[in-house]
Amino acid sequence: TGKFTYDPGFLSTASCNSTITYIDGDKGELLYRGYPIEQLAVNCDYLETCYLLLYGELPNEAQKASFEDRVMHHTMVNEQMQFFLRGFRRDAHPMAVMTGLVGAMSAFYHDSTDINNPEHREIAAIRLIAKMPTLVAMAYKYTIGQPYIYPKNDLSYAGNFMRMMFATPCEDYKPNDVLVRAMDRIFTLHADHEQNASTSTVRLCGSSGTNPFAAIAAGVACLWGPAHGGANEACLNMLYDIQKQGGVARIGDFIGKVKDKNSGVKLMGFGHRVYKNYDPRAKLMRETCHEVLNELGLHDDPLFKLAMELEKIALEDEYFVARKLYPNVDFYSGIVQRAIGIPVPLFTAIFALARTVGWIAQLNEMIGDPEYKIGRPRQLFVGATARDVKPIAQR
Ligand code: CMC
């Protein structure tokens, strides 16, 4: 012992140099490749943001058109994936299904298996970005027992996703522009977030030289947890619970429970390892929430009112002030998704869809780094010192 620095939870250890995403947690700033998230969310769509994360610069018109063509060309998944999907119980959690489906892609695409080959990584990247919406929509249709809807490549990325989710063979789905824009914004706001748990998982997994699809599946698995991507689902379930118990009038009781450390209850959608100020994504998400609820005539939505009141009370409460706990992106994203018609268990799968590009960009950066080595943390051993094995009769 003594040779290594002990840093549980990596509170102060930088695992890499990175040029992709910058966060100033005290100021509440988030930049992708130097561009503020507020400007990207308003001026660019998700695929432009993907291009930026992958290649370092925003695309010009020709680059954008060619990137869109390449991505949309790959939206279909191998038909065999349907049989794989059928092996799951219909009531399986979508994140269980997604972990399996994304991992299974490594068994289908043999021209993109070598993570150390830039051409393989490039085609794996395009395939993953293109096929994630198809997989999420298939996972959803499967759980509700409806036929899969094949992608329609002349739609926008987000529009195509919503059509695959909500159209049926009997009735086409006319995407509403406001809702498509909201979905696209959800994707953009979740696209990358530097070295969070799932991204670090993808880097660590990829550092062994594994198949790129397998590395991304590891990220999906990590994202599932309620302390990470699963928070959007947990947050909405929390709001439902408070509402069931009486709504706004019960917020005080609920906050009391959160402050009682023995209760094990957390205010989901609040707090962040890096942001000690308002998460800039939460601000943008709250704006989108207003737009979507207005568009759908749901401005009096009781859950949204409850969320706003809960936020207000928490932000004034000494417990949250002292710990610098502010709403994070997941606080409002669930309300937006629910209004759009996305079922709660699918929220984290949509986060995974959106984060895929960030995982790939980070993987590319790691492998391109001349200092790249297999990730291998050390430990401080605190167990028994050497001792002799006794014959079983004497133990
Ligand atoms: N509700 C109540 N207390 C909290 C919360 C919360 N949501 N978050 C942190 N605290 C308390 C925590 O108990 C601790 O108190 P004390 O100092 O008295 O022991 C203090 O604040 C510091 O928290 P921490 O657990 O040391 O912070 P962390 O950096 O290890 O955890 C977090 C960050 C995001 C896991 C945590 O804030 C949390 O569990 N939040 C709720 C889940 C959530 O919304 N997650 C989404 C994060 S953003 C999207 C994403 O990354 O996927």
Side-chain angles (χ1 to χ4, degrees):
T1 64
K3 268 203 298 193
F4 306 112
T5 311
Y6 179 53
D7 184 18
F10 301 102
L11 285 163
S12 60
T13 299
S15 60
C16 60
N17 290 317
S18 185
T19 61
I20 303 172
T21 291
Y22 175 78
I23 303 175
D24 184 327
D26 294 325
K27 290 194 194 142
E29 270 178 12
L30 169 62
L31 316 176
Y32 294 162
R33 303 273 189 197
Y35 295 110
I37 191 67
E38 293 81 0
Q39 290 185 29
L40 291 169
V42 171
N43 298 307
C44 301
D45 65 23
Y46 176 67
L47 284 187
E48 284 171 79
T49 307
C50 288
Y51 188 98
L52 171 69
L53 289 168
L54 290 174
Y55 307 114
E57 295 297 336
L58 281 168
N60 60 29
E61 276 179 26
Q63 289 163 332
K64 181 180 175 190
S66 133
F67 182 67
E68 268 173 14
D69 272 359
R70 281 172 65 216
V71 169
M72 297 312 284
H73 176 75
H74 282 282
T75 50
M76 248 180 0
V77 297
N78 190 302
E79 203 71 359
Q80 287 279 112
M81 291 286 271
Q82 292 192 14
F83 301 112
F84 181 64
L85 181 55
R86 265 186 228 166
F88 287 99
R89 286 171 54 141
R90 287 202 190 258
D91 61 356
H93 192 283
M95 285 302 276
V97 175
M98 287 304 294
T99 310
L101 288 180
V102 175
M105 283 175 75
S106 54
F108 285 95
Y109 301 106
H110 296 323
D111 57 354
S112 38
T113 54
D114 180 2
I115 206 166
N116 289 310
N117 177 328
E119 281 165 28
H120 280 217
R121 282 205 311 280
E122 172 69 10
I123 181 71
I126 299 293
R127 285 206 168 107
L128 277 157
I129 295 166
K131 295 180 201 305
M132 282 299 274
T134 316
L135 296 180
V136 174
M138 280 170 72
Y140 171 55
K141 290 292 192 188
Y142 180 70
T143 58
I144 58 169
Q146 281 187 6
Y148 310 120
I149 300 298
Y150 287 97
K152 196 163 184 309
N153 293 349
D154 56 355
L155 292 176
S156 68
Y157 185 84
N160 170 54
F161 172 62
M162 286 172 63
R163 182 176 169 276
M164 289 189 291
M165 288 285 296
F166 299 121
T168 66
C170 327
E171 212 174 7
D172 204 3
Y173 170 81
K174 302 258 170 309
N176 167 315
D177 287 345
V178 174
L179 304 190
V180 171
R181 227 183 13 253
M183 187 51 78
D184 192 82
R185 182 175 274 195
I186 290 176
F187 294 164
T188 300
L189 297 185
H190 288 87
D192 192 51
H193 214 232
E194 51 120 309
Q195 309 312 318
N196 54 80
S198 58
T199 302
S200 302
T201 300
V202 169
R203 279 186 178 250
L204 195 57
C205 184
S207 79
S208 73
T210 189
N211 180 291
F213 298 103
I216 301 303
V220 177
C222 178
L223 189 74
W224 189 359
H228 193 6
N232 48 19
E233 177 178 350
C235 179
L236 205 81
N237 287 332
M238 169 193 80
L239 293 173
Y240 276 138
D241 273 354
I242 303 174
Q243 199 182 28
K244 251 190 261 153
Q245 287 161 25
V248 172
R250 302 310 299 261
I251 291 177
D253 289 351
F254 177 74
I255 296 272
K257 234 189 272 167
V258 169
K259 286 155 66 173
D260 170 8
K261 293 278 175 181
N262 296 322
S263 72
V265 178
K266 275 195 168 173
L267 179 48
M268 299 313 283
F270 254 70
H272 198 274
R273 172 63 60 82
V274 185
Y275 293 119
K276 301 301 166 196
N277 200 328
Y278 213 100
D279 177 342
R281 302 168 301 170
K283 263 187 217 155
L284 291 157
M285 197 48 81
R286 187 161 67 163
E287 224 175 81
T288 300
C289 203
H290 272 292
E291 274 167 32
V292 165
L293 296 176
N294 280 340
E295 173 68 15
L296 298 173
L298 299 171
H299 24 264
D300 287 328
D301 179 51
L303 222 56
F304 185 50
K305 288 198 161 154
L306 178 66
M308 289 208 302
E309 194 56 28
L310 184 56
E311 177 190 342
K312 190 166 150 257
I313 293 176
L315 287 178
E316 286 166 0
D317 190 290
E318 184 46 33
Y319 175 94
F320 295 89
V321 175
R323 290 169 179 77
K324 298 191 173 146
L325 300 171
Y326 291 85
N328 59 53
V329 65
D330 291 326
F331 196 68
Y332 286 106
S333 73
I335 300 176
V336 178
Q337 294 191 58
R338 169 181 149 273
I340 291 176
I342 309 281
V344 180
L346 230 73
F347 291 178
T348 315
I350 288 175
F351 190 159
L353 177 175
R355 181 57 57 83
T356 294
V357 69
W359 291 329
I360 298 166
Q362 301 271 350
L363 203 52
N364 281 341
E365 183 177 67
M366 177 186 75
I367 292 169
D369 184 340
E371 289 180 352
Y372 145 63
K373 286 185 172 60
I374 185 168
R376 200 336 182 157
R378 302 307 299 255
Q379 64 171 9
L380 301 184
F381 181 73
V382 294
T385 49
R387 50 189 174 153
D388 294 323
V389 175
K390 287 187 188 147
I392 194 161
Q394 291 170 30
R395 287 179 219 157

